[in-house]
Amino acid sequence: MVQIPNTPTSADVARLAGVSRATVSYVLNNTSAVRISEPTRRRVHEAARELGYVPHAAARSLRAGHSRMVLMPAPAIPAGPLYSGFLNELQQALGRLDYTVVQYGTDGSRGDEAARAWAELRPVAVLVPGAELGPQGVQVLKRSGARAVVTLGPVRVDGAHALLTDHDAVGHCAGAHLHAVGRRRIGVVVPRDAGLEFYSRPRLAGVREALRGTDAVATELPLAYTEASAARLAAQWRESGLDAVFAYNDEYAMLLMRALQDEGLRVPEDVAVIGADDLMLGRLLRPRLSTVHIDLPSGRDLAELVDRAVRDPGGRPEVHIVLGASVVRREST
Amino acid sequence: MVQIPNTPTSADVARLAGVSRATVSYVLNNTSAVRISEPTRRRVHEAARELGYVPHAAARSLRAGHSRMVLMPAPAIPAGPLYSGFLNELQQALGRLDYTVVQYGTDGSRGDEAARAWAELRPVAVLVPGAELGPQGVQVLKRSGARAVVTLGPVRVDGAHALLTDHDAVGHCAGAHLHAVGRRRIGVVVPRDAGLEFYSRPRLAGVREALRGTDAVATELPLAYTEASAARLAAQWRESGLDAVFAYNDEYAMLLMRALQDEGLRVPEDVAVIGADDLMLGRLLRPRLSTVHIDLPSGRDLAELVDRAVRDPGGRPEVHIVLGASVVRREST
DNA sequence: TTGAAAGCGTTACCAG
DNA sequence: CTGGTAACGCTTTCAA
């Protein structure tokens, strides 16, 4: 019985194959600069397989001085289907470009403090959704070797590439639509649930923007994602005099629409309701839910941006406005 | 102007503080075994701050011979709210135990092949949801230093701790309930969408199990998550003679229920419908959706299992049956 | 209290 | 074609 080392290193492989560590490295990375005889190659591969050798990424990247790890913070709030899908597409695309995507589990630290934790892994690129990263954090990351820092969110951060998710446009779309169909007293749902402010604030602002200079007016409507909260809101609806509502997204819209209907209000006759995200569920509601369809950037495009930025770290930060918004009118408005 | 090195190392900090690298290490990790004078400590901290020094995790774990990284493959299919929530809870809990959770972006490789990629990172523990890991993969991971491999899925894998998600029980619950309310010709939705077989198969089997020895019979109903597919299924409903359906989960249930209603079928009079996952949306449907409530293991418990396994790598693999299932009867059955 | 040096697993540069 | 050897950044004995 062969003595199997606890966790085999390239030295173990070399010993078993009867060659030097360098040769092992050459064979396993099939370095083109050096020619190794076929029998030797076979012996090395055989030995590696027999020992179950797996190279040590840390040692490799320490030696190389860089890695191909793209780090993203894992979403701290359960991601919706829209964003999950986007994330997957992105991972696939980066994988095809030979990057390794790693989502760093949020350990409670926030913003620039978290950036330090990320920097310890020396990722070649960092992709930060949301708005939890300041210019300080970007500097920390770049100092520690990140060749690209890309933010995906409502604000531009100094030193980083920015994919501006223009949530104002979402609100603007909704507001303009509701105004166009003759509504004048427009409620805007603002989720009480933490972590959504970065999206709900701009959406509210966008509605206000769309209504500026008209005789319509927007009213902020705090709402938690519970039936009780929706019922409370619906109970006060008649006295509020609102004739329309932009419900933040389709899920909140479903929640609120149900509460309004239970209260005896007719949709859209008494209240027009519009959501956002264009989820399947909106098509299944009755009346069918009008919504703001959101176009996220394609994962492939974003992967290419990352790759470009990594190849040319000196380049000026790119700023793209992503997230196209367009109204899908169904029956609820 | 001070010359700032490209990416500062502890040597740079030492130089700036006028001490040795060892001293820097002592101070920054405040090693209790060695006492460093207060002025020196201050100088070191100052220097580190000024340079924006961030330790190099790879170098550290290379030297230490181990890390505190818990690796999970990132879900390849968009995770539902149930699972996302569980994941977040788990990350928090592991974070509190001072582990760093990292989700490894699926790069297309599957199963034991993927295990090799994970092993390169030398995680101290690996947590694999689903069923994409064989005994081979477990061996690879353990050989390369993983002190705990935990699978969370329908099957037990040799050598790994197992959290058995008993999806049969979900189906069993649903089947027993439908039988109890007098239904005899029971359809079971099996999503056509890839990646769900590992859940849908056992659920179907569970229904069959519940119906064994009765005069009721289960029929498999392939369904894609599109309105067209649901409409097709609904159009054939009357001739199928089915009087109940377990719709895989609440979302498929919503899709199918809508199609059935559009076809003029009454729920629950003509067809009883039950979903699973107990999502909010079920409560908002009319009739309110009956569902199978699923209790996932608490993130904290799972984190403790991981920690226990890491501390005692020799211990016998634990096998837990998690995922409690219970019927929540509402109006659709 | 501080410093010098060894070593973790890899790869790249030169000699053989 | 192959094999020493040095170096990546860090921690930790051991000596001063």
Side-chain angles (χ1 to χ4, degrees):
Chain A
M1 174 92 184
V2 181
Q3 174 86 0
I4 294 184
N6 206 354
T7 152
T9 73
S10 74
D12 295 314
V13 177
R15 198 159 22 243
L16 182 57
V19 299
S20 77
R21 279 158 42 235
T23 307
V24 171
S25 176
Y26 290 143
V27 171
L28 295 184
N29 302 309
N30 50 2
T31 310
S32 49
V34 188
R35 310 202 68 80
I36 307 285
S37 69
E38 199 48 47
T40 306
R41 305 179 75 86
R42 227 196 306 280
R43 286 221 313 286
V44 170
H45 277 122
E46 182 95 0
R49 215 179 38 71
E50 179 168 343
L51 292 177
Y53 169 71
V54 175
H56 193 310
R60 183 191 302 230
S61 75
L62 182 58
R63 164 68 220 211
H66 60 85
S67 73
R68 296 207 40 100
M69 180 195 300
V70 175
L71 184 146
M72 308 181 54
I77 51 173
L82 195 67
Y83 186 68
S84 299
F86 162 69
L87 213 71
N88 275 56
E89 202 190 334
L90 174 63
Q91 279 181 4
Q92 303 275 337
L94 282 171
R96 271 190 293 272
L97 292 174
D98 203 40
Y99 292 96
T100 294
V101 180
V102 149
Q103 287 180 251
Y104 189 98
T106 310
D107 53 351
S109 60
R110 296 215 127 279
D112 295 339
E113 182 187 356
R116 198 175 313 270
W118 305 339
E120 293 194 0
L121 296 187
R122 298 290 193 274
V124 69
V126 181
L127 200 57
V128 193
E132 47 168 337
L133 185 72
Q136 309 241 34
V138 175
Q139 280 314 313
V140 169
L141 289 167
K142 292 198 144 179
R143 277 274 165 70
S144 57
R147 292 165 68 91
V149 179
V150 183
T151 63
L152 174 64
V155 298
R156 185 164 162 11
V157 180
D158 238 44
H161 300 270
L163 265 37
L164 286 177
T165 53
D166 187 4
H167 284 274
D168 289 79
V170 177
H172 195 280
C173 249
H177 173 67
L178 292 175
H179 184 267
V181 297
R183 308 297 167 145
R184 292 299 176 265
R185 308 222 38 204
I186 297 174
V188 179
V189 167
V190 177
R192 293 184 106 92
D193 309 83
L196 264 33
E197 314 85 30
F198 287 121
Y199 309 108
S200 60
R201 286 286 141 208
R203 287 185 186 190
L204 171 58
V207 175
R208 293 230 154 93
E209 171 77 25
L211 267 32
R212 181 161 306 148
T214 73
D215 54 339
V217 54
T219 305
E220 183 176 343
L221 260 25
L223 174 64
Y225 195 62
T226 65
E227 286 183 279
S229 178
R232 242 178 343 257
L233 186 54
Q236 303 168 336
W237 201 269
R238 291 177 203 277
E239 65 192 78
S240 75
L242 298 175
D243 58 8
V245 59
F246 169 47
Y248 177 67
N249 71 14
D250 288 352
E251 293 182 318
Y252 279 87
M254 180 180 185
L255 174 66
L256 182 55
M257 193 160 93
R258 168 54 56 204
L260 292 170
Q261 288 174 328
D262 285 353
E263 194 65 31
L265 289 148
R266 292 164 307 163
V267 177
E269 293 81 356
D270 301 324
V271 195
V273 178
I274 185 169
D277 289 359
D278 194 9
L279 301 185
M280 169 72 88
L281 68 80
R283 275 175 288 197
L284 302 178
L285 296 178
R286 295 297 180 268
R288 290 176 175 83
L289 184 66
S290 294
T291 191
V292 179
H293 177 86
I294 295 180
D295 264 322
L296 281 177
S298 97
R300 196 140 41 82
D301 290 348
L302 181 41
E304 271 160 19
L305 164 61
V306 168
D307 190 45
R308 216 179 311 136
V310 166
R311 291 178 125 88
D312 175 24
R316 296 232 344 283
E318 297 185 30
V319 178
H320 297 255
I321 296 187
V322 294
L323 193 149
S326 54
V327 168
V328 178
R329 185 176 187 184
R330 299 207 180 97
E331 304 163 352
S332 68
T333 56
Chain B
M1 177 88 187
V2 182
Q3 174 85 358
I4 294 184
N6 206 354
T7 152
T9 73
S10 75
D12 296 315
V13 177
R15 199 161 19 246
L16 182 57
V19 299
S20 77
R21 282 167 36 240
T23 308
V24 171
S25 176
Y26 290 143
V27 171
L28 295 185
N29 301 311
N30 48 5
T31 310
S32 49
V34 186
R35 308 205 67 78
I36 306 284
S37 70
E38 199 47 50
T40 305
R41 302 180 78 85
R42 226 196 307 281
R43 285 221 313 285
V44 170
H45 276 123
E46 182 95 0
R49 214 179 38 69
E50 180 168 342
L51 293 177
Y53 169 71
V54 176
H56 193 308
R60 185 192 302 234
S61 73
L62 184 58
R63 166 67 218 216
H66 59 87
S67 73
R68 305 237 349 132
M69 181 195 299
V70 176
L71 183 146
M72 308 180 55
I77 51 172
L82 196 67
Y83 185 69
S84 300
F86 162 70
L87 213 72
N88 274 56
E89 203 191 333
L90 174 63
Q91 279 181 4
Q92 303 274 337
L94 281 171
R96 271 191 293 274
L97 291 174
D98 203 40
Y99 292 96
T100 295
V101 180
V102 151
Q103 286 179 251
Y104 190 99
T106 310
D107 53 349
S109 60
R110 297 216 129 277
D112 296 339
E113 183 188 356
R116 197 177 313 270
W118 306 338
E120 293 194 0
L121 296 187
R122 298 290 192 273
V124 68
V126 180
L127 200 57
V128 194
E132 46 167 338
L133 185 72
Q136 309 242 35
V138 175
Q139 281 313 315
V140 169
L141 289 167
K142 292 197 145 178
R143 276 274 165 72
S144 57
R147 292 165 66 93
V149 179
V150 183
T151 63
L152 174 63
V155 298
R156 185 163 162 10
V157 180
D158 235 44
H161 300 271
L163 264 39
L164 286 177
T165 53
D166 186 5
H167 283 274
D168 288 79
V170 177
H172 194 281
C173 248
H177 172 67
L178 291 175
H179 184 266
V181 297
R183 308 296 168 145
R184 292 298 177 264
R185 309 223 36 204
I186 298 175
V188 179
V189 168
V190 176
R192 294 184 105 92
D193 309 83
L196 263 35
E197 313 85 30
F198 288 120
Y199 309 107
S200 60
R201 287 285 143 209
R203 288 186 185 189
L204 172 59
V207 174
R208 293 228 156 94
E209 171 78 25
L211 266 32
R212 181 162 307 148
T214 72
D215 55 338
V217 54
T219 305
E220 184 175 342
L221 261 25
L223 173 64
Y225 195 62
T226 63
E227 285 183 280
S229 179
R232 243 180 338 259
L233 187 53
Q236 304 168 332
W237 201 268
R238 292 179 203 273
E239 65 192 77
S240 76
L242 298 175
D243 59 7
V245 59
F246 169 46
Y248 177 67
N249 72 13
D250 288 353
E251 293 182 320
Y252 279 87
M254 180 179 185
L255 174 66
L256 182 55
M257 192 160 93
R258 169 54 56 205
L260 292 171
Q261 289 174 329
D262 285 354
E263 195 64 31
L265 289 150
R266 292 164 308 160
V267 177
E269 294 82 357
D270 301 324
V271 195
V273 178
I274 185 168
D277 289 1
D278 194 9
L279 300 186
M280 169 71 88
L281 68 80
R283 277 176 287 200
L284 302 178
L285 297 178
R286 294 300 179 267
R288 290 176 175 84
L289 183 67
S290 294
T291 192
V292 179
H293 176 87
I294 295 180
D295 264 323
L296 281 177
S298 98
R300 196 139 41 80
D301 290 347
L302 180 43
E304 271 160 21
L305 164 61
V306 170
D307 189 45
R308 215 180 312 135
V310 166
R311 291 177 125 89
D312 175 22
R316 296 233 344 283
E318 298 186 29
V319 178
H320 296 255
I321 295 187
V322 294
L323 194 151
S326 53
V327 168
V328 178
R329 185 178 188 183
R330 299 208 179 96
E331 303 163 353
S332 68
T333 55

